Amino acid sequence: MNLFFLKALLRRQLMTTKQFDTLVKNKPDDNVRAEGYELAYKEDFNWTDIKQSDWTPGFVYPSDDYQSVHSYTNEEQAYVGGKNVETKDGKLIIKTLREKTTAPAWDPEKGMVMHPFEYTSDVINNASKLELEAGCVVMVKARCHGFLNHGIYLRSKKHVPFISVFNYTGLKLFCGVKCNAYTDENKHEIEGLQPVTDIIYTVVWDQSTITWFVNNVKVYQTLNLIPKGEKLYLHLYSFLFKGKRNNTPGSLDVDWIRVYKKL
């Protein structure tokens, strides 16, 4: 690596960090403007019926011919089309309950089948309302309950690329990015936190870097596998891997979401 490139790289990283100091230290509201960014989307979950909200149960596929509400046969929970989604006191709650049911599931060998499950849960997206691209900041206030997987992603309608705002496994907390189906996920463990408490997660997606903050503290930055020329939406989910003896019911609680875009 030549000296000129190294200096340019360091300068870009320093500018990226400094650029967003003001933004992540401010309470997000309609008046926040920092370093050329403005509020572009806000969600305070003041609705009571998901059908009247920005959110749609299930996955997003390029074609409407695909079934959107389904689970996978290597998971313990059936997704139930929004029945386990509620709002209370301006907070979103995705509940994972211990209850037996039979529901559509994708099997890698058999395709879509009806499959028995021990739990129910939900996955939701706002692909019909939001398209994000490089040059945005996403902030989420959330907490996790139970020994199961919870996550909030920025995701493509092709499922990859995606940017993980956070992924909690019940034991560990991660962030990361995957650029396409043929590359490994750039995954980073966020240590020293208990996501059962309120946490503000921030992702800064720039043309050449992605930076993650937790409670306004920078925890990771990467220059690798940056999605380019892609439009992503928000994807919220909870699930349990099949066969884990410590699986429990739980919930993903989200207080608010803010998205900022460059002017």
Side-chain angles (χ1 to χ4, degrees), residues 24-192:
V24 300
K25 290 178 181 178
N26 277 279
K27 179 181 177 181
D29 57 40
D30 289 337
N31 298 317
V32 170
R33 285 173 176 263
E35 300 296 334
Y37 282 75
E38 68 175 354
L39 185 68
Y41 178 84
K42 63 183 293 188
E43 172 62 276
D44 291 311
F45 302 108
N46 291 321
W47 44 267
T48 55
D49 184 354
I50 192 171
K51 294 179 181 179
Q52 306 301 320
S53 75
D54 291 348
W55 302 89
T56 303
F59 296 95
V60 179
Y61 291 103
S63 171
D64 293 337
D65 294 335
Y66 293 95
Q67 184 165 338
S68 60
V69 178
H70 68 85
S71 301
Y72 295 87
T73 53
N74 67 338
E75 297 174 350
E76 291 278 10
Q77 87 297 328
Y79 289 135
V80 291
K83 295 178 181 178
N84 284 21
V85 176
E86 67 176 31
T87 55
K88 184 177 181 181
D89 300 325
K91 296 178 179 62
L92 173 75
I93 303 171
I94 298 179
K95 299 176 291 184
T96 300
L97 307 175
R98 192 192 301 271
E99 52 185 7
K100 293 185 178 182
T101 190
T102 300
W106 178 258
D107 184 281
E109 296 181 356
K110 301 177 182 178
M112 198 68 72
V113 298
M114 294 301 292
H115 188 76
F117 291 95
E118 298 293 322
Y119 294 81
T120 61
S121 189
D122 259 307
V123 53
I124 61 174
N125 71 82
N126 68 352
S128 65
K129 298 293 183 179
L130 188 66
E131 289 187 332
L132 298 175
E133 52 192 346
C136 71
V137 178
V138 177
M139 301 180 74
V140 177
K141 184 179 180 183
R143 59 194 168 279
C144 303
H145 301 290
F147 188 83
L148 67 161
N149 290 265
H150 302 293
I152 297 180
Y153 278 43
L154 308 181
R155 197 160 206 164
S156 163
K157 291 182 179 180
K158 299 173 290 187
H159 285 215
V160 286
F162 64 71
I163 300 171
S164 168
V165 179
F166 77 86
N167 167 224
Y168 180 56
T169 67
L171 287 175
K172 296 182 178 181
L173 183 66
F174 296 92
C175 61
V177 57
K178 186 176 180 67
C179 192
N180 58 59
Y182 308 104
T183 57
D184 292 332
E185 183 179 355
N186 181 349
K187 199 169 185 178
H188 175 76
E189 182 178 355
I190 304 170
E191 298 179 333

Side-chain angles (χ1 to χ4, degrees), residues 4-15:
F4 174 81
F5 180 79
L6 179 60
K7 287 182 178 180
L9 177 62
L10 291 173
R11 183 167 62 251
R12 182 166 61 186
Q13 287 181 304
L14 290 172
M15 287 175 63

Side-chain angles (χ1 to χ4, degrees), residues 229-241:
E230 297 285 349
K231 294 184 183 296
L232 310 183
Y233 59 89
L234 280 160
H235 171 95
L236 285 61
Y237 70 89
S238 298
F239 77 93
L240 306 102
F241 277 121

